[in-house]
Amino acid sequence: MQLRQRAYAFSYKVFTGLCLIGLIYLAISLDVADSGRFGLWRPSSFDHWNAIIWGAILYAFTLPTAYIAWTVKAPRLDAR
């Protein structure tokens, strides 16, 4: 139970960090595009937003499992 709680806590921290980085990138790309200096990629169609939303959903579902897979030690096998 503690391992699951640690996995969810870690996943929440990583997911919120990724969301904040994504929002900061979107804010900067909008600001740079308005200034006319150069263009950064921004989602401009339904397909782009759809990919972002489904990517976020997949991250939310798989991050706890990935944390457990990375942190749990492999079982010891008896050498016979």
Side-chain angles (χ1 to χ4, degrees), residues 33-57:
D34 289 343
S35 69
R37 285 180 260 172
F38 59 91
L40 295 174
W41 179 85
R42 293 180 312 209
S44 59
S45 69
F46 175 76
D47 291 337
H48 295 164
W49 285 109
N50 197 21
I52 290 170
I53 290 169
W54 280 107
I57 289 171

Side-chain angles (χ1 to χ4, degrees), residues 21-76:
I21 290 170
L23 288 173
I24 290 169
Y25 172 81
L26 286 175
I28 291 171
S29 69
L30 286 172
D31 190 38
V32 169
D34 289 343
S35 69
R37 285 180 260 172
F38 59 91
L40 295 174
W41 179 85
R42 293 180 312 209
S44 59
S45 69
F46 175 76
D47 291 337
H48 295 164
W49 285 109
N50 197 21
I52 290 170
I53 290 169
W54 280 107
I57 289 171
L58 288 173
Y59 268 124
F61 288 152
T62 58
L63 277 174
T65 306
Y67 174 82
I68 291 172
W70 289 330
T71 58
V72 172
K73 292 182 180 13
R76 292 182 61 173

